[in-house]
Amino acid sequence: MQEMKQVSDTGPGRLYLVATPIGNLGDLSARAEEVLAAADFVAAEDTRVSLKILNRLGLRKPMMSYHRHNCDTAGDEIIRRVLDGQDCALMTDAGTPAVSDPGEDLVRRCVEEGIEVTAVPGPCALITALEVSGLPTGRFTFEGFLPTNRKNRRAQLESLRGETRTMIFYEAPHKLRATLDDLAENFGDDRRAALCRELTKIHEEVIRTTLGEARALYAEREPKGEYVLVVEGEAPETAGEMSPEGALVQVRKLRQQGVSMGDAVKTAARETGISKNRLYELALDDEDGGERAEKGEPT
């Protein structure tokens, strides 16, 4: 980060995090309108989107882009201007800035510079989805967008095995099917879930189902719109009950009964909740090690 300018004689300005509608423009708060009217400039994820809101309010403001592709250079400019005494209103395309959003980095940098940061609460997709999901809301974990790399995505999901809190994920339509496959494999087809799309918009839809049924539904149906996936946590009485090693014991027993490797793994994964892919790898290593031991080879 480049060296910042000295704070102006009148003192630094302030960064306002202005939550904007996730669909219905009527959800913009009166306070958000007041802050936008008073701000010296607006930093927007997409100036075209934010301009529509400003036009609706009859406001004309200097604007600049701030998004994940330019957050370093644009962040420098925002901080310079705020240190020079200007107030900045940060807006995302939809929802709350700094939550699964590059605004997080700007807030951190402002705090480091001693700049006051104020939130203007409002619409938030993850909270909206949680409250309509029909799943427990007392304790939850927000996971945002899962990694695009399938190996990393599966690793993150496996780290959530045994999680008893309700889990919330964001997902794009073109990746929904793959994500539902991985969720069902990791948590089981019977795990309850809510698929929330186009929240607060005309075509809002909330599908309360199970992961297995959701996977089957979208094998036939084309995903459309941005999704928030709310997934039930594991029942506290069963969380952590079975380890991968315990599931492997079940595979061994089934194999001794003459069951094929694929069927043994599938049955044990279903009964224990252990990832089928992970269990298959362990089972192959286990049998390979056993064969080497029988031959007197090092394992």
Side-chain angles (χ1 to χ4, degrees), residues 22 27 124-138 140 166-168 170 192-201 203-209 226-232:
I22 59 177
D27 291 336
C124 182
L126 75 97
I127 297 299
T128 303
L130 177 65
E131 62 186 353
V132 301
S133 68
L135 297 173
T137 62
F140 63 90
T166 299
M167 296 167 281
I168 305 172
Y170 286 164
R192 290 192 300 162
L195 283 65
C196 308
R197 56 178 290 271
E198 300 294 279
L199 289 169
T200 78
K201 299 178 183 178
H203 300 293
E204 175 179 310
E205 181 180 35
V206 179
I207 302 173
R208 301 174 183 88
T209 183
E226 300 296 321
Y227 287 80
V228 183
L229 309 178
V230 187
V231 180
E232 180 183 35

Side-chain angles (χ1 to χ4, degrees), residues 33-87:
E33 182 176 352
E34 292 174 0
V35 168
L36 290 172
D40 294 296
F41 70 103
V42 170
E45 181 178 4
D46 187 327
T47 55
R48 296 165 298 180
V49 173
S50 296
L51 184 60
K52 292 179 182 178
I53 294 176
L54 295 178
N55 287 340
R56 178 184 173 89
L57 300 175
L59 298 175
R60 297 185 64 182
K61 292 287 173 179
M63 302 183 73
M64 63 175 290
S65 294
Y66 177 83
H67 47 73
R68 65 187 180 92
H69 299 296
N70 75 345
C71 57
D72 288 337
T73 55
D76 287 344
E77 177 63 19
I78 291 170
I79 290 174
R80 287 194 188 94
R81 294 173 68 171
V82 175
L83 286 175
D84 201 37
Q86 298 182 51
D87 288 335

Side-chain angles (χ1 to χ4, degrees), residues 5-252:
K5 292 182 178 179
Q6 295 294 316
V7 176
S8 70
D9 293 338
T10 57
R14 184 180 301 189
L15 176 68
Y16 289 92
L17 307 176
V18 182
T20 52
I22 59 177
N24 192 320
L25 291 178
D27 291 336
L28 188 72
S29 71
R31 184 178 173 218
E33 182 176 352
E34 292 174 0
V35 168
L36 290 172
D40 294 296
F41 70 103
V42 170
E45 181 178 4
D46 187 327
T47 55
R48 296 165 298 180
V49 173
S50 296
L51 184 60
K52 292 179 182 178
I53 294 176
L54 295 178
N55 287 340
R56 178 184 173 89
L57 300 175
L59 298 175
R60 297 185 64 182
K61 292 287 173 179
M63 302 183 73
M64 63 175 290
S65 294
Y66 177 83
H67 47 73
R68 65 187 180 92
H69 299 296
N70 75 345
C71 57
D72 288 337
T73 55
D76 287 344
E77 177 63 19
I78 291 170
I79 290 174
R80 287 194 188 94
R81 294 173 68 171
V82 175
L83 286 175
D84 201 37
Q86 298 182 51
D87 288 335
C88 172
L90 179 66
M91 302 171 67
T92 67
D93 285 356
T96 300
V99 177
S100 194
D101 175 86
E104 175 186 4
D105 184 65
L106 182 60
V107 170
R108 176 188 59 78
R109 294 180 60 182
C110 284
V111 170
E112 291 173 353
E113 292 288 339
I115 293 169
E116 188 169 353
V117 179
T118 299
V120 183
C124 182
L126 75 97
I127 297 299
T128 303
L130 177 65
E131 62 186 353
V132 301
S133 68
L135 297 173
T137 62
R139 300 178 68 236
F140 63 90
T141 175
F142 174 57
E143 297 296 317
F145 287 97
L146 290 166
T148 55
N149 177 278
R150 192 161 197 186
K151 181 179 179 181
N152 294 339
R153 185 165 69 248
R154 285 178 169 174
Q156 183 171 334
L157 289 175
E158 193 161 322
S159 73
L160 292 170
R161 191 178 304 282
E163 175 61 70
T164 58
R165 296 171 294 180
T166 299
M167 296 167 281
I168 305 172
F169 306 89
Y170 286 164
E171 194 51 278
H174 66 281
K175 293 191 295 182
L176 180 69
R177 287 170 174 154
T179 294
L180 287 175
D181 286 342
D182 289 341
L183 288 170
E185 268 189 26
N186 196 71
F187 301 122
D189 283 339
D190 295 333
R191 186 69 66 88
R192 290 192 300 162
L195 283 65
C196 308
R197 56 178 290 271
E198 300 294 279
L199 289 169
T200 78
K201 299 178 183 178
I202 295 175
H203 300 293
E204 175 179 310
E205 181 180 35
V206 179
I207 302 173
R208 301 174 183 88
T209 183
T210 65
L211 290 174
E213 290 171 350
R215 178 160 57 167
L217 173 66
Y218 278 99
E220 305 294 332
R221 176 177 174 178
E222 189 66 28
K224 294 181 180 179
E226 300 296 321
Y227 287 80
V228 183
L229 309 178
V230 187
V231 180
E232 180 183 35
E234 186 168 346
E237 60 269 20
T238 61
E241 196 171 90
M242 181 63 71
S243 66
E245 291 73 20
L248 187 57
V249 170
Q250 287 193 227
V251 173
R252 289 176 188 150

Side-chain angles (χ1 to χ4, degrees), residues 248 251 261 265 278-288:
L248 187 57
V251 173
M261 173 68 83
V265 168
R278 174 61 175 153
L279 187 54
Y280 194 82
E281 292 174 2
L282 290 173
L284 286 177
D285 290 342
D286 182 60
E287 292 207 352
D288 184 50

